[in-house]
Amino acid sequence: MTHNTYTNRIILHMDMDAFFAAVEQRDHPEYQGKPVIVGADPKEGKGRGVVSTCSYEARKFGVHSAMPISQAYKLCPKGIYVWPNGRLYQQVSKEIFNLLYEFTDAIEPLSIDEAFMDVTGSVKLFGSGPEIAAKIKKRIKNETRLTASVGVAPNKYLAKIASDLEKPDGLVLVDADKIDEFLAPLDISRLWGAGIKTQTVLKKMGIHTIGDLFNFPKEILEKKLGKLGDHFYNLAHGIDTRRVESDEVVKSISNEHTFGQDVLDVNLLHKTIFQLSEKVGYRLRNKKLQGRTVHLKLRYDNFSTITRNKTLNSAVDSTQMIYSVVKDLFNNNYQQGRKVRLVGVGISGFMNEQGDQLSLFDNQIKKHDRIDQLQDALTNRFGKRIISRAESMDSKNYDWD
Ligand code: TTP
Ligand code: MG
């Protein structure tokens, strides 16, 4: 069967594994391999409030997000119960999103740990869809020591199903000409928009898998389900024409490199900074932008990180100019003799070709950078619940109910 005009896109869906719990396990080695439950205080089974998320070890006990914490405690009394550290999760989320933007600007965030990406235009630079997915997973692993699951497919709906199938640390490709085979065995609960009610109706019609639904004539589905009939017919046939809705305004451009082995060699560090300046310059010129503020990021082997920036009198877009500024920043700030794990180069304070300032944030890059905007967009669009929760998680007075 044909899948019309949209099958030529390459869409990724990235979702971090057990995000909050994974960050806790990373930062507390003694939690690794153990059931960790992030959320309200269980107070030995008498606590109120809910589970925010839990590690995969805890999921074996039947614990899951949004479950009352008292119930989680009954299922897993020996679990490690952790109060959420919202600010930390936000910070890690920013790092991850920053890295995703190195692969494409066409990113639609769905929540603090999840995004769609349209990488159709990135193939020349980074390789095929699955290659890009593998690179993203590797970068996330190297730079945050966390795992992500990624689905690669011709549309959003299929990519989202795919990223979930082999969690944790999954990478699943849905081939454009094998969509029907991919969908056929899946349970109807995987259908986007099929709540419990719809699932019950479908089951009464003898429809248990997406394959069963595929075989149903459109007219009958429409008769039984009204408008939704058409929607589910499309989903059963792998059709989803929604575009990846990215943030239009880019406020900074940056590239980072994590070394396979920590580096002491200043020449190699200079060379890497040059290569990163080339990448940043290329992306900048590609967008016909010039920027005034140049940024350096350095992470030492113990994960301590410094960022430094310099604002110029006029905006630049040449590799050489970016390099000379960032090299100065490096020479002035690098602590001789310390091993470097990561270097990053960035630019912000964009002007258009007429020299008009595109944004008013110069030195305040930290406050106003693209990721903050992204978090705002994310909050507005989807994640109010999750984001505001993460924020308020810092407060011990947070009302979990
Ligand atoms: P999810 O991606 O839904 O879950 P997860 O990353 O913990 O696990 P999975 O491997 O299945 O993707 O949500 C991301 C984070 O959002 C999660 O770590 C905690 C938070 N969250 C809540 O606080 N409450 C909730 O009900 C859900 C679903 C998530
Ligand atoms: Mg997740």
Side-chain angles (χ1 to χ4, degrees):
M1 86 151 282
T2 53
H3 289 282
N4 66 40
T5 49
Y6 293 92
T7 42
N8 55 359
R9 315 279 333 149
I10 306 173
I11 310 298
L12 266 50
H13 179 261
M14 187 287 311
D15 189 328
M16 299 300 293
D17 302 318
F19 187 46
F20 296 1
V23 173
E24 297 299 337
Q25 287 184 320
R26 176 191 77 174
D27 294 349
H28 302 89
E30 67 277 20
Y31 295 175
Q32 283 165 18
K34 305 228 167 100
V36 173
I37 296 115
V38 181
D41 184 348
K43 296 189 180 141
E44 301 195 332
K46 298 200 181 79
R48 283 150 47 82
V50 295
V51 173
S52 182
T53 191
C54 62
S55 66
Y56 277 77
E57 293 86 351
R59 292 182 198 195
K60 288 189 198 140
F61 293 83
V63 180
H64 59 76
S65 290
M67 171 183 273
I69 200 76
S70 52
Q71 194 183 340
Y73 192 80
K74 270 191 207 120
L75 293 169
C76 190
K78 293 200 172 135
I80 299 168
Y81 288 81
V82 182
W83 192 271
N85 181 350
R87 207 160 286 161
L88 172 64
Y89 312 144
Q90 294 266 23
Q91 198 186 322
V92 179
S93 166
K94 275 189 185 189
E95 272 198 64
I96 292 162
F97 274 97
N98 247 328
L99 176 165
L100 297 183
Y101 275 100
E102 292 191 26
F103 293 88
T104 179
D105 287 325
I107 294 183
E108 179 180 336
L110 295 173
S111 79
I112 190 164
D113 81 327
E114 185 188 354
F116 284 120
M117 304 171 71
D118 185 335
V119 296
T120 316
S122 311
V123 167
K124 274 196 195 130
L125 279 175
F126 301 106
S128 67
E131 280 166 354
I132 296 175
K135 281 181 181 161
I136 289 173
K137 278 167 59 74
K138 198 168 166 201
R139 290 275 312 265
I140 292 177
K141 184 84 212 240
N142 276 342
E143 286 161 42
T144 67
R145 293 178 287 164
L146 299 168
T147 61
S149 293
V150 182
V152 186
N155 62 46
K156 285 162 90 166
Y157 157 64
L158 294 168
K160 184 151 163 97
I161 293 180
S163 74
D164 198 48
L165 284 183
E166 289 184 13
K167 259 181 172 296
D169 206 10
L171 198 181
V172 174
L173 166 71
V174 186
D175 232 315
D177 47 16
K178 295 201 186 95
I179 293 174
D180 302 340
E181 293 94 305
F182 170 80
L183 286 175
L186 301 178
D187 191 90
I188 46 166
S189 58
R190 300 237 172 227
L191 286 167
W192 157 48
I196 298 291
K197 262 192 195 160
T198 310
Q199 288 179 39
T200 311
V201 174
L202 290 172
K203 280 183 187 153
K204 277 196 186 137
M205 292 163 74
I207 300 171
H208 298 273
T209 64
I210 301 186
D212 295 338
L213 183 63
F214 182 95
N215 291 320
F216 252 75
K218 198 172 182 174
E219 302 75 57
I220 300 186
L221 288 176
E222 278 174 344
K223 217 170 142 192
K224 296 264 186 191
L225 297 164
K227 270 188 192 158
L228 275 179
D230 186 42
H231 171 71
F232 288 124
Y233 177 88
N234 282 338
L235 294 186
H237 291 78
I239 299 166
D240 172 17
T241 56
R242 292 172 302 161
R243 290 167 196 283
V244 170
E245 288 181 36
S246 53
D247 253 13
E248 295 301 326
V249 198
V250 175
K251 295 219 163 171
S252 75
I253 289 177
S254 66
N255 278 74
E256 298 180 355
H257 179 77
T258 303
F259 296 103
Q261 281 191 326
D262 300 335
V263 169
L264 267 175
D265 176 356
V266 173
N267 283 335
L268 177 57
L269 293 169
H270 280 165
K271 198 173 129 201
T272 308
I273 287 171
F274 181 77
Q275 286 163 346
L276 291 169
S277 305
E278 264 182 328
K279 286 187 183 168
V280 169
Y282 170 83
R283 288 171 65 192
L284 196 57
R285 295 187 294 274
N286 219 10
K287 292 190 181 308
K288 303 204 169 2
L289 288 171
Q290 301 191 319
R292 274 183 68 199
T293 305
V294 177
H295 304 259
L296 166 76
K297 177 169 167 184
L298 269 184
R299 176 170 289 156
Y300 294 109
D301 57 349
N302 66 352
F303 266 81
S304 73
T305 307
I306 62 161
T307 54
R308 296 287 182 271
N309 64 69
K310 180 171 180 173
T311 298
L312 308 168
N313 290 332
S314 58
V316 298
D317 68 359
S318 83
T319 296
Q320 203 54 52
M321 279 302 292
I322 298 168
Y323 175 60
S324 78
V325 177
V326 85
K327 188 181 171 190
D328 279 350
L329 287 172
F330 174 84
N331 290 341
N332 293 334
N333 292 285
Y334 171 59
Q335 295 176 351
Q336 291 281 342
R338 286 193 73 179
K339 283 191 185 164
V340 174
R341 178 182 167 84
L342 170 152
V343 285
V345 172
I347 191 155
S348 64
F350 296 144
M351 313 270 209
N352 62 17
E353 281 160 300
Q354 285 75 47
D356 298 326
Q357 189 140 353
L358 293 180
S359 53
L360 295 167
F361 62 108
D362 283 348
N363 290 326
Q364 295 205 328
I365 177 71
K366 282 217 194 72
K367 274 192 193 153
H368 296 276
D369 72 9
R370 170 166 50 113
I371 303 302
D372 282 340
Q373 278 240 328
L374 181 158
Q375 296 277 354
D376 294 346
L378 187 160
T379 308
N380 291 338
R381 210 178 306 146
F382 298 100
K384 215 159 215 148
R385 179 178 59 91
I386 281 176
I387 291 297
S388 61
R389 180 176 312 188
E391 277 281 296
S392 42
M393 276 168 189
D394 285 329
S395 153
K396 292 279 175 197
N397 300 321
Y398 183 68
D399 178 6
W400 285 92
D401 286 320

